[in-house]
Amino acid sequence: MTSLFGYLYELVGAERAQPADDLLSGLVADGELSAEEITGMAMLLLVAGHETTASMLGLGTFALLEHPSQLAALRADPSLWDGAVEELLRHLSVAHLGPLRAALEDVEITGRTIRKGQVVTPSIPAANRDPRRFDDPETLDVTKPAQAGHLALGHGIHQCLGHQLARVEMRMAYRALFDRFPHLRLAVPSEEVPMRTDMTIYGVHRLPVSW
């Protein structure tokens, strides 16, 4: 993250010295923001606006190839895709750890007291597979009606600003991929696909396929 921030900071400086027709140059030309603020925005756009959706596309593709009956159901009834995107988001939880939250007062949750000022990090997968909220939460089922309330894209005032864009991108990309490559399949056993369990954004490091 430090290296990436440094790279983007230098890029902002280069845009200031030689403006181009792009987003960063536009922010520089506005004159209201510091280099640090513009760099922060660039970091946010790159990670939240690109990395999450790109990773989710790879991860969801892997999940569907690993569950051919689910993919077959989508091929048979394309109207299921909108709900399928919500189910993939819920079941896979591309961001595993939610943003840090500080308790404004003492609060007790399932017998555990969190003191005022203490910081917690919610587990998104645990919330998205809570049996008190979702039916059969451990099973990926794209045929059932979309279950409202998953936290993959945040919630309430903390919902991702780009959540509608992300949903549109996924609805379009998944359908385009499987329409264009109807015989797409995994080229290796699923257990050999390297997962990004060592990174903030969940996904696959590589997804070898054939068609």
Side-chain angles (χ1 to χ4, degrees):
M1 293 294 286
T2 301
S3 298
L4 180 56
F5 193 91
Y7 167 76
L8 291 173
Y9 186 84
E10 291 181 2
L11 189 60
V12 170
E15 298 278 358
R16 193 183 301 276
Q18 191 171 353
D21 183 19
D22 57 42
L23 178 61
L24 290 183
S25 290
L27 292 172
V28 168
D30 183 74
E32 296 293 324
L33 301 170
S34 68
E36 289 80 5
E37 289 172 322
I38 297 173
T39 303
M41 288 184 175
M43 178 79 85
L44 178 66
L45 289 170
L46 181 61
V47 176
H50 168 73
E51 182 72 11
T52 49
T53 307
S55 294
M56 186 64 204
L57 289 173
L59 186 61
T61 298
F62 175 44
L64 291 173
L65 293 178
E66 195 178 21
H67 297 84
S69 63
Q70 299 292 297
L71 183 54
L74 291 168
R75 292 190 191 282
D77 184 1
S79 69
L80 294 173
W81 270 113
D82 285 7
V85 166
E86 299 304 317
E87 174 66 356
L88 288 167
L89 284 166
R90 180 201 69 80
H91 186 75
L92 300 172
S93 300
V94 68
H96 273 187
L97 297 179
L100 297 175
R101 292 286 179 261
L104 299 180
E105 58 187 38
D106 289 359
V107 60
E108 184 174 305
I109 300 178
T110 62
R112 179 72 176 265
T113 300
I114 300 170
R115 301 296 181 188
K116 179 180 179 179
Q118 287 185 324
V119 175
V120 298
T121 301
S123 169
I124 304 302
N128 283 346
R129 297 192 180 193
D130 186 345
R132 295 168 297 181
R133 179 74 187 191
F134 303 104
D135 297 329
D136 193 14
E138 296 297 328
T139 301
L140 174 67
D141 185 356
V142 299
T143 66
K144 63 187 176 187
Q147 301 188 78
H150 71 72
L151 301 181
L153 297 172
H155 180 71
I157 63 171
H158 300 292
Q159 189 170 42
C160 171
L161 291 174
H163 70 98
Q164 293 292 11
L165 174 61
R167 286 179 162 97
V168 169
E169 289 176 328
M170 283 182 273
R171 290 167 187 163
M172 294 176 65
Y174 285 132
R175 288 191 65 174
L177 175 67
F178 290 111
D179 284 349
R180 183 170 180 180
F181 300 100
H183 303 294
L184 193 70
R185 60 189 181 277
L186 292 176
V188 298
S190 59
E191 60 270 16
E192 293 183 14
V193 175
M195 307 304 295
R196 295 177 59 175
T197 54
D198 55 338
M199 303 181 74
T200 303
I201 305 300
Y202 187 45
V204 293
H205 281 297
R206 296 181 303 281
L207 186 60
V209 296
S210 58
W211 62 89

PDB file of all heavy atoms in Angstrom, residues 169-196:
ATOM      1  N   GLU A 169     -21.901  -3.891 -13.955  1.00  0.00           N
ATOM      2  CA  GLU A 169     -20.703  -4.488 -14.571  1.00  0.00           C
ATOM      3  C   GLU A 169     -20.746  -6.005 -14.474  1.00  0.00           C
ATOM      4  O   GLU A 169     -20.430  -6.714 -15.441  1.00  0.00           O
ATOM      5  CB  GLU A 169     -19.443  -3.946 -13.885  1.00  0.00           C
ATOM      6  CG  GLU A 169     -19.154  -2.495 -14.216  1.00  0.00           C
ATOM      7  CD  GLU A 169     -17.966  -1.955 -13.440  1.00  0.00           C
ATOM      8  OE1 GLU A 169     -17.744  -2.392 -12.287  1.00  0.00           O
ATOM      9  OE2 GLU A 169     -17.269  -1.080 -13.974  1.00  0.00           O
ATOM     10  N   MET A 170     -21.132  -6.519 -13.304  1.00  0.00           N
ATOM     11  CA  MET A 170     -21.162  -7.974 -13.124  1.00  0.00           C
ATOM     12  C   MET A 170     -22.263  -8.622 -13.950  1.00  0.00           C
ATOM     13  O   MET A 170     -22.063  -9.676 -14.559  1.00  0.00           O
ATOM     14  CB  MET A 170     -21.312  -8.305 -11.636  1.00  0.00           C
ATOM     15  CG  MET A 170     -20.015  -8.139 -10.865  1.00  0.00           C
ATOM     16  SD  MET A 170     -20.148  -8.587  -9.122  1.00  0.00           S
ATOM     17  CE  MET A 170     -20.700  -7.040  -8.449  1.00  0.00           C
ATOM     18  N   ARG A 171     -23.443  -8.011 -13.988  1.00  0.00           N
ATOM     19  CA  ARG A 171     -24.533  -8.579 -14.776  1.00  0.00           C
ATOM     20  C   ARG A 171     -24.144  -8.673 -16.247  1.00  0.00           C
ATOM     21  O   ARG A 171     -24.450  -9.663 -16.924  1.00  0.00           O
ATOM     22  CB  ARG A 171     -25.795  -7.715 -14.621  1.00  0.00           C
ATOM     23  CG  ARG A 171     -26.430  -7.791 -13.245  1.00  0.00           C
ATOM     24  CD  ARG A 171     -27.460  -6.690 -13.064  1.00  0.00           C
ATOM     25  NE  ARG A 171     -27.966  -6.644 -11.696  1.00  0.00           N
ATOM     26  CZ  ARG A 171     -28.615  -5.606 -11.184  1.00  0.00           C
ATOM     27  NH1 ARG A 171     -28.849  -4.534 -11.927  1.00  0.00           N
ATOM     28  NH2 ARG A 171     -29.035  -5.638  -9.931  1.00  0.00           N
ATOM     29  N   MET A 172     -23.472  -7.641 -16.734  1.00  0.00           N
ATOM     30  CA  MET A 172     -23.073  -7.632 -18.142  1.00  0.00           C
ATOM     31  C   MET A 172     -21.907  -8.583 -18.405  1.00  0.00           C
ATOM     32  O   MET A 172     -21.913  -9.347 -19.368  1.00  0.00           O
ATOM     33  CB  MET A 172     -22.693  -6.211 -18.562  1.00  0.00           C
ATOM     34  CG  MET A 172     -23.846  -5.229 -18.558  1.00  0.00           C
ATOM     35  SD  MET A 172     -23.327  -3.550 -18.962  1.00  0.00           S
ATOM     36  CE  MET A 172     -22.797  -3.788 -20.664  1.00  0.00           C
ATOM     37  N   ALA A 173     -20.902  -8.540 -17.543  1.00  0.00           N
ATOM     38  CA  ALA A 173     -19.668  -9.285 -17.805  1.00  0.00           C
ATOM     39  C   ALA A 173     -19.855 -10.791 -17.701  1.00  0.00           C
ATOM     40  O   ALA A 173     -19.366 -11.541 -18.552  1.00  0.00           O
ATOM     41  CB  ALA A 173     -18.569  -8.829 -16.843  1.00  0.00           C
ATOM     42  N   TYR A 174     -20.554 -11.251 -16.652  1.00  0.00           N
ATOM     43  CA  TYR A 174     -20.767 -12.691 -16.513  1.00  0.00           C
ATOM     44  C   TYR A 174     -21.522 -13.245 -17.726  1.00  0.00           C
ATOM     45  O   TYR A 174     -21.154 -14.271 -18.294  1.00  0.00           O
ATOM     46  CB  TYR A 174     -21.558 -13.008 -15.237  1.00  0.00           C
ATOM     47  CG  TYR A 174     -20.771 -12.888 -13.956  1.00  0.00           C
ATOM     48  CD1 TYR A 174     -21.289 -12.186 -12.862  1.00  0.00           C
ATOM     49  CD2 TYR A 174     -19.530 -13.492 -13.818  1.00  0.00           C
ATOM     50  CE1 TYR A 174     -20.589 -12.087 -11.676  1.00  0.00           C
ATOM     51  CE2 TYR A 174     -18.815 -13.402 -12.630  1.00  0.00           C
ATOM     52  CZ  TYR A 174     -19.348 -12.689 -11.560  1.00  0.00           C
ATOM     53  OH  TYR A 174     -18.649 -12.595 -10.390  1.00  0.00           O
ATOM     54  N   ARG A 175     -22.601 -12.563 -18.102  1.00  0.00           N
ATOM     55  CA  ARG A 175     -23.395 -13.050 -19.236  1.00  0.00           C
ATOM     56  C   ARG A 175     -22.584 -13.045 -20.527  1.00  0.00           C
ATOM     57  O   ARG A 175     -22.623 -13.998 -21.309  1.00  0.00           O
ATOM     58  CB  ARG A 175     -24.653 -12.197 -19.400  1.00  0.00           C
ATOM     59  CG  ARG A 175     -25.694 -12.423 -18.325  1.00  0.00           C
ATOM     60  CD  ARG A 175     -27.017 -11.770 -18.672  1.00  0.00           C
ATOM     61  NE  ARG A 175     -27.626 -12.372 -19.848  1.00  0.00           N
ATOM     62  CZ  ARG A 175     -28.824 -12.073 -20.293  1.00  0.00           C
ATOM     63  NH1 ARG A 175     -29.561 -11.175 -19.660  1.00  0.00           N
ATOM     64  NH2 ARG A 175     -29.312 -12.662 -21.369  1.00  0.00           N
ATOM     65  N   ALA A 176     -21.828 -11.951 -20.748  1.00  0.00           N
ATOM     66  CA  ALA A 176     -21.024 -11.864 -21.970  1.00  0.00           C
ATOM     67  C   ALA A 176     -19.971 -12.963 -22.011  1.00  0.00           C
ATOM     68  O   ALA A 176     -19.737 -13.583 -23.058  1.00  0.00           O
ATOM     69  CB  ALA A 176     -20.360 -10.487 -22.047  1.00  0.00           C
ATOM     70  N   LEU A 177     -19.341 -13.227 -20.872  1.00  0.00           N
ATOM     71  CA  LEU A 177     -18.296 -14.253 -20.813  1.00  0.00           C
ATOM     72  C   LEU A 177     -18.860 -15.630 -21.163  1.00  0.00           C
ATOM     73  O   LEU A 177     -18.320 -16.331 -22.030  1.00  0.00           O
ATOM     74  CB  LEU A 177     -17.676 -14.287 -19.414  1.00  0.00           C
ATOM     75  CG  LEU A 177     -16.653 -15.400 -19.168  1.00  0.00           C
ATOM     76  CD1 LEU A 177     -15.405 -15.178 -20.001  1.00  0.00           C
ATOM     77  CD2 LEU A 177     -16.294 -15.484 -17.684  1.00  0.00           C
ATOM     78  N   PHE A 178     -19.946 -16.012 -20.505  1.00  0.00           N
ATOM     79  CA  PHE A 178     -20.474 -17.368 -20.710  1.00  0.00           C
ATOM     80  C   PHE A 178     -21.239 -17.502 -22.022  1.00  0.00           C
ATOM     81  O   PHE A 178     -21.376 -18.607 -22.544  1.00  0.00           O
ATOM     82  CB  PHE A 178     -21.325 -17.782 -19.507  1.00  0.00           C
ATOM     83  CG  PHE A 178     -20.506 -18.015 -18.268  1.00  0.00           C
ATOM     84  CD1 PHE A 178     -20.592 -17.149 -17.187  1.00  0.00           C
ATOM     85  CD2 PHE A 178     -19.612 -19.079 -18.193  1.00  0.00           C
ATOM     86  CE1 PHE A 178     -19.826 -17.353 -16.048  1.00  0.00           C
ATOM     87  CE2 PHE A 178     -18.835 -19.292 -17.061  1.00  0.00           C
ATOM     88  CZ  PHE A 178     -18.946 -18.426 -15.982  1.00  0.00           C
ATOM     89  N   ASP A 179     -21.735 -16.392 -22.568  1.00  0.00           N
ATOM     90  CA  ASP A 179     -22.337 -16.450 -23.901  1.00  0.00           C
ATOM     91  C   ASP A 179     -21.266 -16.629 -24.970  1.00  0.00           C
ATOM     92  O   ASP A 179     -21.440 -17.378 -25.931  1.00  0.00           O
ATOM     93  CB  ASP A 179     -23.130 -15.163 -24.190  1.00  0.00           C
ATOM     94  CG  ASP A 179     -24.455 -15.130 -23.458  1.00  0.00           C
ATOM     95  OD1 ASP A 179     -24.852 -16.177 -22.904  1.00  0.00           O
ATOM     96  OD2 ASP A 179     -25.083 -14.052 -23.413  1.00  0.00           O
ATOM     97  N   ARG A 180     -20.152 -15.930 -24.790  1.00  0.00           N
ATOM     98  CA  ARG A 180     -19.090 -15.994 -25.802  1.00  0.00           C
ATOM     99  C   ARG A 180     -18.314 -17.304 -25.719  1.00  0.00           C
ATOM    100  O   ARG A 180     -17.849 -17.818 -26.738  1.00  0.00           O
ATOM    101  CB  ARG A 180     -18.137 -14.813 -25.615  1.00  0.00           C
ATOM    102  CG  ARG A 180     -17.045 -14.760 -26.672  1.00  0.00           C
ATOM    103  CD  ARG A 180     -16.270 -13.464 -26.602  1.00  0.00           C
ATOM    104  NE  ARG A 180     -15.228 -13.428 -27.623  1.00  0.00           N
ATOM    105  CZ  ARG A 180     -14.394 -12.404 -27.793  1.00  0.00           C
ATOM    106  NH1 ARG A 180     -14.487 -11.331 -27.038  1.00  0.00           N
ATOM    107  NH2 ARG A 180     -13.467 -12.447 -28.732  1.00  0.00           N
ATOM    108  N   PHE A 181     -18.174 -17.844 -24.516  1.00  0.00           N
ATOM    109  CA  PHE A 181     -17.428 -19.101 -24.326  1.00  0.00           C
ATOM    110  C   PHE A 181     -18.350 -20.130 -23.667  1.00  0.00           C
ATOM    111  O   PHE A 181     -18.221 -20.417 -22.474  1.00  0.00           O
ATOM    112  CB  PHE A 181     -16.187 -18.860 -23.466  1.00  0.00           C
ATOM    113  CG  PHE A 181     -15.220 -17.877 -24.063  1.00  0.00           C
ATOM    114  CD1 PHE A 181     -15.186 -16.557 -23.623  1.00  0.00           C
ATOM    115  CD2 PHE A 181     -14.349 -18.258 -25.076  1.00  0.00           C
ATOM    116  CE1 PHE A 181     -14.303 -15.639 -24.170  1.00  0.00           C
ATOM    117  CE2 PHE A 181     -13.470 -17.355 -25.628  1.00  0.00           C
ATOM    118  CZ  PHE A 181     -13.450 -16.034 -25.188  1.00  0.00           C
ATOM    119  N   PRO A 182     -19.281 -20.699 -24.434  1.00  0.00           N
ATOM    120  CA  PRO A 182     -20.265 -21.608 -23.840  1.00  0.00           C
ATOM    121  C   PRO A 182     -19.661 -22.899 -23.287  1.00  0.00           C
ATOM    122  O   PRO A 182     -20.297 -23.564 -22.471  1.00  0.00           O
ATOM    123  CB  PRO A 182     -21.219 -21.903 -25.009  1.00  0.00           C
ATOM    124  CG  PRO A 182     -20.419 -21.623 -26.241  1.00  0.00           C
ATOM    125  CD  PRO A 182     -19.509 -20.501 -25.880  1.00  0.00           C
ATOM    126  N   HIS A 183     -18.459 -23.237 -23.714  1.00  0.00           N
ATOM    127  CA  HIS A 183     -17.831 -24.473 -23.231  1.00  0.00           C
ATOM    128  C   HIS A 183     -16.679 -24.189 -22.267  1.00  0.00           C
ATOM    129  O   HIS A 183     -15.806 -25.039 -22.065  1.00  0.00           O
ATOM    130  CB  HIS A 183     -17.329 -25.310 -24.416  1.00  0.00           C
ATOM    131  CG  HIS A 183     -18.410 -25.644 -25.403  1.00  0.00           C
ATOM    132  ND1 HIS A 183     -19.472 -26.463 -25.094  1.00  0.00           N
ATOM    133  CD2 HIS A 183     -18.613 -25.241 -26.688  1.00  0.00           C
ATOM    134  CE1 HIS A 183     -20.265 -26.566 -26.137  1.00  0.00           C
ATOM    135  NE2 HIS A 183     -19.768 -25.829 -27.116  1.00  0.00           N
ATOM    136  N   LEU A 184     -16.675 -23.007 -21.689  1.00  0.00           N
ATOM    137  CA  LEU A 184     -15.626 -22.645 -20.729  1.00  0.00           C
ATOM    138  C   LEU A 184     -15.625 -23.632 -19.567  1.00  0.00           C
ATOM    139  O   LEU A 184     -16.677 -23.992 -19.037  1.00  0.00           O
ATOM    140  CB  LEU A 184     -15.890 -21.226 -20.206  1.00  0.00           C
ATOM    141  CG  LEU A 184     -14.747 -20.558 -19.442  1.00  0.00           C
ATOM    142  CD1 LEU A 184     -13.605 -20.216 -20.379  1.00  0.00           C
ATOM    143  CD2 LEU A 184     -15.252 -19.289 -18.748  1.00  0.00           C
ATOM    144  N   ARG A 185     -14.442 -24.061 -19.156  1.00  0.00           N
ATOM    145  CA  ARG A 185     -14.331 -25.003 -18.049  1.00  0.00           C
ATOM    146  C   ARG A 185     -12.980 -24.832 -17.376  1.00  0.00           C
ATOM    147  O   ARG A 185     -12.044 -24.261 -17.955  1.00  0.00           O
ATOM    148  CB  ARG A 185     -14.487 -26.442 -18.545  1.00  0.00           C
ATOM    149  CG  ARG A 185     -13.458 -26.864 -19.574  1.00  0.00           C
ATOM    150  CD  ARG A 185     -13.794 -28.212 -20.198  1.00  0.00           C
ATOM    151  NE  ARG A 185     -12.784 -28.626 -21.166  1.00  0.00           N
ATOM    152  CZ  ARG A 185     -12.761 -28.207 -22.445  1.00  0.00           C
ATOM    153  NH1 ARG A 185     -13.690 -27.371 -22.893  1.00  0.00           N
ATOM    154  NH2 ARG A 185     -11.820 -28.637 -23.275  1.00  0.00           N
ATOM    155  N   LEU A 186     -12.862 -25.334 -16.169  1.00  0.00           N
ATOM    156  CA  LEU A 186     -11.597 -25.274 -15.448  1.00  0.00           C
ATOM    157  C   LEU A 186     -10.570 -26.167 -16.121  1.00  0.00           C
ATOM    158  O   LEU A 186     -10.886 -27.277 -16.541  1.00  0.00           O
ATOM    159  CB  LEU A 186     -11.785 -25.709 -13.994  1.00  0.00           C
ATOM    160  CG  LEU A 186     -12.621 -24.793 -13.096  1.00  0.00           C
ATOM    161  CD1 LEU A 186     -12.803 -25.420 -11.719  1.00  0.00           C
ATOM    162  CD2 LEU A 186     -11.962 -23.422 -12.969  1.00  0.00           C
ATOM    163  N   ALA A 187      -9.337 -25.685 -16.201  1.00  0.00           N
ATOM    164  CA  ALA A 187      -8.262 -26.464 -16.815  1.00  0.00           C
ATOM    165  C   ALA A 187      -7.488 -27.264 -15.777  1.00  0.00           C
ATOM    166  O   ALA A 187      -6.623 -28.072 -16.134  1.00  0.00           O
ATOM    167  CB  ALA A 187      -7.315 -25.535 -17.578  1.00  0.00           C
ATOM    168  N   VAL A 188      -7.762 -27.018 -14.507  1.00  0.00           N
ATOM    169  CA  VAL A 188      -7.107 -27.738 -13.413  1.00  0.00           C
ATOM    170  C   VAL A 188      -8.174 -28.113 -12.394  1.00  0.00           C
ATOM    171  O   VAL A 188      -9.261 -27.511 -12.378  1.00  0.00           O
ATOM    172  CB  VAL A 188      -6.017 -26.869 -12.730  1.00  0.00           C
ATOM    173  CG1 VAL A 188      -4.911 -26.515 -13.722  1.00  0.00           C
ATOM    174  CG2 VAL A 188      -6.618 -25.619 -12.116  1.00  0.00           C
ATOM    175  N   PRO A 189      -7.906 -29.083 -11.527  1.00  0.00           N
ATOM    176  CA  PRO A 189      -8.854 -29.372 -10.446  1.00  0.00           C
ATOM    177  C   PRO A 189      -9.078 -28.127  -9.594  1.00  0.00           C
ATOM    178  O   PRO A 189      -8.157 -27.332  -9.397  1.00  0.00           O
ATOM    179  CB  PRO A 189      -8.159 -30.485  -9.655  1.00  0.00           C
ATOM    180  CG  PRO A 189      -7.239 -31.136 -10.648  1.00  0.00           C
ATOM    181  CD  PRO A 189      -6.767 -30.026 -11.530  1.00  0.00           C
ATOM    182  N   SER A 190     -10.283 -27.956  -9.098  1.00  0.00           N
ATOM    183  CA  SER A 190     -10.618 -26.726  -8.376  1.00  0.00           C
ATOM    184  C   SER A 190      -9.724 -26.489  -7.166  1.00  0.00           C
ATOM    185  O   SER A 190      -9.423 -25.340  -6.838  1.00  0.00           O
ATOM    186  CB  SER A 190     -12.084 -26.766  -7.934  1.00  0.00           C
ATOM    187  OG  SER A 190     -12.330 -27.891  -7.104  1.00  0.00           O
ATOM    188  N   GLU A 191      -9.285 -27.569  -6.533  1.00  0.00           N
ATOM    189  CA  GLU A 191      -8.424 -27.395  -5.349  1.00  0.00           C
ATOM    190  C   GLU A 191      -7.045 -26.866  -5.705  1.00  0.00           C
ATOM    191  O   GLU A 191      -6.288 -26.442  -4.821  1.00  0.00           O
ATOM    192  CB  GLU A 191      -8.305 -28.701  -4.564  1.00  0.00           C
ATOM    193  CG  GLU A 191      -7.708 -29.863  -5.337  1.00  0.00           C
ATOM    194  CD  GLU A 191      -8.757 -30.688  -6.060  1.00  0.00           C
ATOM    195  OE1 GLU A 191      -9.891 -30.200  -6.219  1.00  0.00           O
ATOM    196  OE2 GLU A 191      -8.435 -31.841  -6.436  1.00  0.00           O
ATOM    197  N   GLU A 192      -6.692 -26.867  -6.990  1.00  0.00           N
ATOM    198  CA  GLU A 192      -5.395 -26.334  -7.414  1.00  0.00           C
ATOM    199  C   GLU A 192      -5.456 -24.861  -7.809  1.00  0.00           C
ATOM    200  O   GLU A 192      -4.426 -24.262  -8.120  1.00  0.00           O
ATOM    201  CB  GLU A 192      -4.855 -27.158  -8.591  1.00  0.00           C
ATOM    202  CG  GLU A 192      -4.497 -28.593  -8.219  1.00  0.00           C
ATOM    203  CD  GLU A 192      -3.903 -29.364  -9.388  1.00  0.00           C
ATOM    204  OE1 GLU A 192      -3.522 -28.719 -10.399  1.00  0.00           O
ATOM    205  OE2 GLU A 192      -3.827 -30.608  -9.296  1.00  0.00           O
ATOM    206  N   VAL A 193      -6.637 -24.278  -7.804  1.00  0.00           N
ATOM    207  CA  VAL A 193      -6.759 -22.850  -8.106  1.00  0.00           C
ATOM    208  C   VAL A 193      -6.276 -22.055  -6.893  1.00  0.00           C
ATOM    209  O   VAL A 193      -6.806 -22.225  -5.788  1.00  0.00           O
ATOM    210  CB  VAL A 193      -8.215 -22.478  -8.438  1.00  0.00           C
ATOM    211  CG1 VAL A 193      -8.350 -20.966  -8.618  1.00  0.00           C
ATOM    212  CG2 VAL A 193      -8.669 -23.208  -9.699  1.00  0.00           C
ATOM    213  N   PRO A 194      -5.254 -21.209  -7.055  1.00  0.00           N
ATOM    214  CA  PRO A 194      -4.703 -20.468  -5.910  1.00  0.00           C
ATOM    215  C   PRO A 194      -5.619 -19.325  -5.489  1.00  0.00           C
ATOM    216  O   PRO A 194      -5.900 -18.429  -6.272  1.00  0.00           O
ATOM    217  CB  PRO A 194      -3.358 -19.953  -6.437  1.00  0.00           C
ATOM    218  CG  PRO A 194      -3.550 -19.843  -7.919  1.00  0.00           C
ATOM    219  CD  PRO A 194      -4.519 -20.926  -8.305  1.00  0.00           C
ATOM    220  N   MET A 195      -6.080 -19.380  -4.258  1.00  0.00           N
ATOM    221  CA  MET A 195      -7.007 -18.376  -3.751  1.00  0.00           C
ATOM    222  C   MET A 195      -6.262 -17.212  -3.094  1.00  0.00           C
ATOM    223  O   MET A 195      -5.181 -17.382  -2.535  1.00  0.00           O
ATOM    224  CB  MET A 195      -7.963 -19.010  -2.734  1.00  0.00           C
ATOM    225  CG  MET A 195      -8.693 -20.241  -3.249  1.00  0.00           C
ATOM    226  SD  MET A 195      -9.633 -19.948  -4.765  1.00  0.00           S
ATOM    227  CE  MET A 195     -10.869 -18.790  -4.171  1.00  0.00           C
ATOM    228  N   ARG A 196      -6.867 -16.048  -3.142  1.00  0.00           N
ATOM    229  CA  ARG A 196      -6.253 -14.844  -2.567  1.00  0.00           C
ATOM    230  C   ARG A 196      -6.668 -14.689  -1.102  1.00  0.00           C
ATOM    231  O   ARG A 196      -7.239 -13.681  -0.689  1.00  0.00           O
ATOM    232  CB  ARG A 196      -6.668 -13.620  -3.374  1.00  0.00           C
ATOM    233  CG  ARG A 196      -6.146 -13.629  -4.795  1.00  0.00           C
ATOM    234  CD  ARG A 196      -6.636 -12.454  -5.595  1.00  0.00           C
ATOM    235  NE  ARG A 196      -6.252 -11.180  -5.001  1.00  0.00           N
ATOM    236  CZ  ARG A 196      -6.479 -10.002  -5.576  1.00  0.00           C
ATOM    237  NH1 ARG A 196      -7.092  -9.932  -6.746  1.00  0.00           N
ATOM    238  NH2 ARG A 196      -6.114  -8.895  -4.976  1.00  0.00           N
TER     239      ARG A 196
END
